Amino acid sequence: MIKLASKIEIFATGTQVVLKKIPGMKKDTDIDLQPFVKGETEQYNCPMTKVLHIIGGKWKLLILNAILLECPKRFGALKKKMPHITQATLTTQLRELERDGIILRTVYAESPPRVEYKLTELGLTLVPIIRLINEWGNTYCLNEK
């Protein structure tokens, strides 16, 4: 337990950190053990948090857009489409998207091995969202001064 300014206490238990208001504090807000950091295995308290966990970050939407434009897409083609991403980062991002059920990874027993990525049915539900983000970005770029 850490005391901050003698009015707020922070409790750390495992991976969860909670704030607790101290009784008698002027202009009390209703914090009542409101969590602001949660562990990886706990439920998310907001749909936006879950969405950003699945498709957020610097590369995931760009990867999804590349797969959407040419589906299925091979690893080498994805790497060429995004020259500034490292191979390790691309691999990690693809594995996370596969783990979350957004893309499907298919390995063909050939020499050399061929791996293709395509959107799953769940991933296809992101298509309208990706298109809206593209449209918004185009509009923003045209109106930017």
Side-chain angles (χ1 to χ4, degrees), residues 96-110:
E96 288 176 7
L97 288 166
E98 182 184 13
R99 175 199 67 202
D100 293 329
I102 305 300
I103 62 171
L104 178 66
R105 178 179 186 260
T106 306
V107 181
Y108 295 94
E110 298 175 353

Side-chain angles (χ1 to χ4, degrees), residues 85-97:
I85 190 171
T86 66
Q87 184 167 338
T89 301
L90 180 57
T91 299
T92 300
Q93 300 293 289
L94 287 167
R95 285 182 183 161
E96 288 176 7
L97 288 166

Side-chain angles (χ1 to χ4, degrees), residues 27 56-57 61 133:
K27 296 184 182 177
L61 281 174
I133 290 172

